[in-house]
Amino acid sequence: MSDERWTAVDDYLNEVFVADDPVLDSVLAANATAGLPPHDVTPTQGKLLYLLARISAAASILEIGTLGGYSTIWLARALPADGRLVTIEFDRKHAEVARANIERAGLSAKVDLRVGKALDVLPRIEAEGQGPFDLFFIDADKPSNAEYFAWALQLSRPGSVIVVDNVVRGGAVVDAASTDASTQGVRRFMDVLANEPRVDATAIQTVGLKGYDGFVIVLVKSTETA
Ligand code: SAH
Ligand code: DHB
Ligand code: MG
């Protein structure tokens, strides 16, 4: 099966499940104009994030890796009126574009965008007493996935959901000898998951207009430390 077929089917599914959405269209246009890398989740994946947030009745969300705020906006739209989303972005230019996009989406009051390296910002979020968060979306630099997951667990409660993007990488994840730091980062994170009794998790492979990849979904069962 070809990539063209995956894209054609994704286009079809977008027509069925993602209604005309001028705000999201303008976000992707702004990201392209600013020269951001096209690493946003696809529309159907954004809708999945939105649905997961609604299904779990999430009122507090933590995102690591904002880019232009495309996934941020999908997630923040799922929040109740008093809900809150914290999103962390390392790149100042990405954060600037995201801030304007989130404003245009009318979500500035719900979204707290923190600029900095996630491993610097996460301890501050904890020190501020934020959390536990109901839902996490981990989608930043892949070599740090295991550390981000440890932080998510730390800032979670039993019942929290953790979604981790880009864990299949065109199938590269099965290559134990890979010299790619992102692939090794994903594999190290997978090892952590396989040996973490406090969670239940699975991974789903995906194809679509951004190729072949996949995501992990985690349910936190317990937050007791061993
Ligand atoms: N979640 C976005 C896509 C994120 S792309 C969406 O689906 O729309 C990954 C982002 O993580 C990039 O913007 C990159 O600058 C950011 N990033 C990379 N390393 C980071 C770090 N150490 N801390 C915070 N953000 C980081
Ligand atoms: C990359 C990062 C992402 O989060 C993504 O969804 C796709 C690609 C990347 O760094 O190549
Ligand atoms: Mg991603």
Side-chain angles (χ1 to χ4, degrees):
M1 237 216 254
S2 67
D3 285 33
E4 298 89 88
R5 179 65 70 91
W6 300 343
T7 299
V9 172
D10 233 355
D11 288 344
Y12 169 71
L13 296 177
N14 290 339
E15 276 173 35
V16 175
F17 295 111
V18 186
D20 258 355
D21 199 318
V23 169
L24 289 177
D25 291 346
S26 77
V27 167
L28 294 180
N31 291 357
T33 300
L36 267 50
H39 293 164
D40 345 68
V41 295
T42 65
T44 51
Q45 291 165 357
K47 183 84 181 268
L48 175 66
L49 292 173
Y50 166 86
L51 289 169
L52 287 171
R54 291 291 305 272
I55 289 165
S56 61
S60 58
I61 299 174
L62 177 61
E63 177 179 66
I64 305 177
T66 316
L67 190 61
Y70 183 79
S71 56
T72 315
I73 289 167
W74 271 112
L75 286 164
R77 282 176 170 180
L79 289 168
D82 60 347
R84 196 154 172 74
L85 183 153
V86 179
T87 185
I88 307 173
E89 174 54 53
F90 160 71
D91 186 293
R92 288 193 169 278
K93 180 179 149 191
H94 296 183
E96 203 179 296
V97 174
R99 205 176 292 286
N101 283 334
I102 291 160
E103 178 72 34
R104 198 174 311 122
L107 291 164
S108 297
K110 286 178 179 171
V111 176
D112 179 3
L113 170 58
R114 302 290 182 95
V115 183
K117 285 187 192 168
L119 289 176
D120 294 336
V121 175
L122 287 160
R124 279 181 234 145
I125 287 170
E126 184 183 46
E128 289 164 15
Q130 301 215 40
F133 292 90
D134 302 321
L135 179 71
F136 299 82
F137 183 46
I138 298 177
D139 190 24
D141 53 311
K142 315 310 173 189
S144 298
N145 265 1
E147 285 72 30
Y148 298 152
F149 176 70
W151 270 106
L153 257 187
Q154 173 82 14
L155 293 168
S156 71
R157 54 156 175 88
S160 293
V161 174
I162 304 170
V163 181
V164 184
D165 199 20
N166 310 116
V167 298
V168 173
R169 318 198 64 75
V173 68
V174 297
D175 182 6
S178 172
T179 54
D180 174 58
S182 295
T183 299
Q184 285 302 341
V186 169
R187 288 183 60 88
R188 190 162 62 87
F189 161 61
M190 294 295 211
D191 286 345
V192 169
L193 272 185
N195 295 292
E196 176 51 77
R198 292 173 293 179
V199 306
D200 263 342
T202 194
I204 294 292
Q205 304 185 63
T206 59
V207 295
L209 59 86
K210 297 209 173 172
Y212 171 34
D213 213 323
F215 57 88
V216 155
I217 296 191
V218 180
L219 174 68
V220 178
K221 292 189 298 182
S222 158
T223 48
E224 275 166 44
T225 45

